[in-house]
Amino acid sequence: MSKINKAACIGGGVIGGAWAARFLLSGIDVNMFDPHPEAERIVGEVIANAERAYAMLTMAPLPPRGKLTFIKSIEEAVKGADWIQESVPERIDLKRGVITQIDAASDPEALIGSSTSGILPTELQRDMKHPERMFVAHPYNPVYLLPLAELVGGEKTSPAVLEDAKAKLATIGMKGVILKKEIEAFVGDRLLEAVWREGLWLIKDDICDTETLDDVIRYSFGMRWAQMGMFETYRIAGGEAGMRHFIAQFGPCLSWPWTKLTDVVDLDDALTDKIANQSDAQSGAYGIRELERIRDENLVGIMHALKGANGGKGWGSGKLLAEFEAHLWENAPKPEAAIGAEPIRLLDTKVNPSWVDYNGHMTEFRYNQCFADSADALLRLIGVDMDYVAAGHSYYTVEAHNQWIDEAKLGDALYVKAQILPCDGKKLHTFMWLHRVADDAVLASCEHLMLHVASKEGKVVPPLPAVKDRLQPLIDAHAGLPLPANAGRVVGQKK
Ligand SMILES: NC(=O)c1ccc[n+]([C@@H]2O[C@H](COP(=O)([O-])OP(=O)(O)OC[C@H]3O[C@@H](n4cnc5c(N)ncnc54)[C@H](O)[C@@H]3O)[C@@H](O)[C@H]2O)c1
């Protein structure tokens, strides 16, 4: 599969820093050029936010983080990069100049994406020697979480380059959508500006304040948009008669005075003050970093919910997350069973903010998650991977007994070890301990039983030889270990 081997980010502000974070967390080395004296600090803060968000986003094995290098010139920064992302301020002369410099210094095969919010790629590629590899890759803030990039080619962009860019973005968890034609502001910003312009009128005309306007969005159609967008939502709104009925019912409203879209509100000092004051009243109690963290946690929550939607097949950005995770698992080094007479380490993780409850401790079901993820890791270790499951066999958990022993706190690094208890492989019986890395203390234990099943028939059957041959040496190696003191424990038994 086409992938990005090395990236260069030219411009490291809000957007360039977050592109860098997405590349780095996907294991790609990044050269960064930004003349701002505090660029390293600013980019460092964005990356810290991104790392925090990814710890919540996925348990799939991210590759080792790429290396970030700050470079003193565009010419040096683009050397060896096969994806160069321009994210300098939105001024056509500045952008065109920077892109022309990138073009002259980079490998002619390297892809060059511009983060511009609305400038036509034809304008940006005007002075390039190799314009066919330049396109707009317009992302959304925060780039490390929101997966979309609008891919827009100019007159000289090769269509194959856009397809290549789309395939490469998929390997870093992004959804590239290719627009059929270039147009100022593309699709997303055209829509957003139309809604924003209407919002400004509603504030100016004292219909509502900024908080009420935001409430109208987030308690209603904002929730619909996150999962079905506009047209799929309206199809449902049309009832059984669908889209045609919706158009017949609401089409005429377009010529009623429902909108002021064609007028541009005068953003004079008075209106700017009014909006800024209302915004302070609405959100001033939070610092900007605090708001960013809340935003990131909410976005992760939405993606998690959508990952489990549609009967577990996933939906929208959640389906994309599941596909990215499948890609990460596929590309992770294949686990090798450490066959020895000692428990195997199956999981390393960290208590992240969304795992903590009102007591400040890891909430109860996250302990279960650690054990369930460890059981999955054990299965991968013995060859029960996606292909094995797709071919019709799997292990199902049928019984578990947990003991909660000590508290895990926010940020604690944790690991899980497992001992295979005597079993025949059709039954897979394990005992697992959740440890804190700092002092190896045991925080919880889990005795766990899985059965090997032929999924379609819903029958318990022995594992296929490929799995049995990997499992049996583990069962044999652990057979000589003493039974854990708490194995076979019943609920309520004295310590
Ligand atoms: N902020 C958003 O929500 C958003 C979303 C999508 C796209 N964009 C687009 O991304 C681009 C960057 O926007 P931003 O919000 O990150 O702006 P920003 O002001 O936060 O960052 C711009 C960075 O570019 C640097 N810079 C200036 N001249 C440079 C040069 N010659 N070479 C390299 N770096 C240079 C600046 O020092 C600054 O760090 C713009 O084109 C913008 O339209 C922004």
Side-chain angles (χ1 to χ4, degrees), residues 183-436:
I183 183 173
E184 285 89 350
F186 324 124
V187 173
D189 280 345
R190 289 191 92 84
L191 292 170
L192 284 178
E193 193 170 288
V195 175
W196 187 49
R197 193 161 48 216
E198 190 66 23
L200 292 172
W201 277 116
L202 293 167
I203 307 289
K204 182 180 166 62
D205 292 350
D206 282 326
I207 311 297
C208 63
D209 57 13
T210 59
E211 182 166 1
T212 306
L213 191 139
D214 284 350
D215 283 349
V216 167
I217 295 175
R218 65 183 155 190
Y219 289 101
S220 66
F221 58 84
M223 294 173 73
R224 295 195 308 218
W225 280 356
Q227 48 84 46
M228 279 194 176
M230 179 186 284
F231 284 99
E232 205 160 44
T233 297
Y234 283 172
R235 184 183 177 87
I236 299 175
E240 286 182 7
M243 188 56 83
R244 284 176 200 285
H245 175 63
F246 184 83
I247 292 174
Q249 190 173 2
F250 293 104
C253 311
L254 291 170
S255 49
W256 300 352
W258 274 24
T259 59
K260 298 188 177 195
L261 284 177
T262 48
D263 301 339
V264 177
V265 70
D266 184 7
L267 271 169
D268 56 12
D269 288 350
L271 182 54
T272 303
D273 283 348
K274 182 176 179 179
I275 294 170
N277 291 339
Q278 288 183 3
S279 174
D280 286 348
Q282 178 186 353
S283 317
Y286 298 102
I288 199 73
R289 298 282 169 243
E290 211 175 351
L291 280 174
E292 281 175 351
R293 283 196 291 272
I294 293 168
R295 174 202 63 190
D296 287 0
E297 285 169 24
N298 294 344
L299 290 174
V300 166
I302 291 168
M303 282 190 269
H304 280 177
L306 292 178
K307 194 176 124 184
N310 191 22
K313 291 198 285 270
W315 190 265
S317 60
K319 184 161 181 280
L320 190 78
L321 174 60
E323 286 161 6
F324 180 50
E325 289 180 331
H327 165 80
L328 291 173
W329 283 117
E330 253 171 50
N331 288 280
K334 288 279 170 256
E336 280 305 319
I339 299 168
E342 57 181 48
I344 352 164
R345 186 157 170 154
L346 292 173
L347 184 84
D348 276 274
T349 189
K350 228 181 197 177
V351 182
N352 73 60
S354 66
W355 288 20
V356 169
D357 63 16
Y358 51 88
N359 290 317
H361 309 146
M362 184 157 84
T363 201
E364 193 174 311
F365 76 95
R366 296 293 181 182
Y367 288 81
N368 280 329
Q369 182 180 326
C370 290
F371 291 125
D373 288 338
S374 302
D376 278 350
L378 175 63
L379 294 183
R380 280 191 299 277
L381 203 65
I382 59 170
V384 181
D385 53 18
M386 294 298 178
D387 292 342
Y388 189 82
V389 173
H393 289 89
S394 189
Y395 276 95
Y396 290 174
T397 296
V398 289
E399 198 171 338
H401 178 251
N402 288 3
Q403 229 192 330
W404 282 263
I405 297 162
D406 205 349
E407 292 144 4
K409 298 200 177 65
L410 179 65
D412 280 350
L414 310 174
Y415 66 94
V416 172
K417 280 191 163 188
Q419 178 177 336
I420 317 285
L421 303 184
C423 59
D424 60 5
K426 194 154 86 170
K427 282 187 183 160
L428 180 48
H429 192 177
T430 54
F431 196 91
M432 299 186 263
W433 296 267
L434 176 70
H435 292 265
R436 185 164 47 219

Side-chain angles (χ1 to χ4, degrees), residues 10-16 33-36 74 86-90 94-95 98 115-118 138-141:
I10 308 303
V14 173
I15 291 300
F33 170 71
D34 190 314
H36 194 287
I74 291 183
E86 169 278 309
S87 311
V88 305
E90 190 78 350
L94 173 66
K95 279 194 182 286
V98 164
S115 298
T116 177
S117 297
H138 175 235
Y140 287 75
N141 190 29

Side-chain angles (χ1 to χ4, degrees), residues 145-165:
L145 277 181
L146 292 186
L148 185 76
E150 287 172 278
L151 297 175
V152 193
E155 280 166 13
K156 297 179 187 158
T157 309
S158 139
V161 160
L162 293 177
E163 291 296 341
D164 188 25

